[in-house]
Amino acid sequence: MSQRSADAFTARSTPRIFCIGRNYAKHIAELNNTLSGKESVVFMKPASALVKPDEAITLPTNVGEIHHEAELVVEIGHGGRDIAADTAREHISGIGLGLDLTLRDVQTELKNTGEPWEKAKSFDYSAPLGPLVALTDAMDLADMHFELSVDGTTRQKAHTADMLVGVADIIAMLSRHWRLLPGDLIYTGTPEGVGPISAGMQLELSCPQLPGARWTTA
C-alpha cells in the first residue's frame, strides 16, 4: 500500500474540495431531512479546511453545536469533463478517510432561511483528512467499511454499499458541472451517528483497507 506523507497532501495544491450531502438514508432520517429525489447536494470547502493527522483541530467558539461527520474521500488524478460512470475509477489517484465538521445550529438556521450552507460547512479546520493511498484493483468502492470513534467510543459505522449515490456516479455527476482537476478532493457523504464534539476530545477514523487517522480537538 503506497502511502503519502502527511506533509505531501497538505502542502500540495488542492484545487477544490467537493462535499456530498445527504448520501446515506439513515443520516437523512436522523436529521429529520427528506430525500428529495433530485441530484446530490454539493457544497465546497477551502484548502484552509484541511487538517493533517495527529494535528489539533481548532474548533470555533460561540457557534453552538459542532458535529463530526466521517466520510470516505477520493482524490482526482486524471481530470476531465463529462466523465462516464463506468470509467470514473480511472480518474481516481488516491483514497482515504476524512471528517466533514459541521456547525449544526448554524446549518439549521441557514436551512430555515434558504441560504447556502457555507457558513456552517466551510470554516477553517473543518475538513480533517487522513493519509491518501493509491486505489488498487482489490478495493471495491461499493464494499468498504469504516468507523469513527470519539474518546474510544464508536459513534459512526459506515458501509459504502449504503450510499445513495456511489463514488463513480458522484464523479460523473460532478464532472457534468465542473471540469475536474488533478488534486480535487471529494468527500462522499456521511452515515448516521453524527454528534457533537468539543475541545479536548480524540477522534479516530479506521478502515480495514485504508490507513487510519486520529486528531485531538482544541
Side-chain angles (χ1 to χ4, degrees), residues 9 18 32 37-38 70 82 90-91 112 163 174 187 201 205-206 213:
F9 69 79
F18 294 97
N32 296 315
K38 298 179 180 179
D82 295 322
E90 301 169 13
H91 293 260
N112 290 339
M163 285 183 174
L174 290 174
Y187 282 60
M201 290 182 167
L205 287 167
S206 60

Side-chain angles (χ1 to χ4, degrees), residues 156-179:
Q156 288 187 272
K157 290 185 177 182
H159 185 199
T160 54
D162 295 328
M163 285 183 174
L164 298 175
V165 182
V167 172
D169 287 322
I170 289 172
I171 292 172
M173 178 273 294
L174 290 174
S175 72
R176 289 196 296 270
H177 299 281
W178 296 272
R179 178 176 295 278

Side-chain angles (χ1 to χ4, degrees), residues 72-84:
L72 184 75
V73 181
V74 297
E75 181 186 42
I76 296 298
H78 173 58
R81 179 96 191 203
D82 295 322
I83 297 168

Side-chain angles (χ1 to χ4, degrees), residues 141-170:
L141 294 174
D143 187 22
M144 303 190 80
H145 296 262
F146 60 94
E147 295 186 4
L148 170 69
S149 66
V150 178
D151 288 340
T153 299
T154 300
R155 286 204 184 174
Q156 288 187 272
K157 290 185 177 182
H159 185 199
T160 54
D162 295 328
M163 285 183 174
L164 298 175
V165 182
V167 172
D169 287 322
I170 289 172

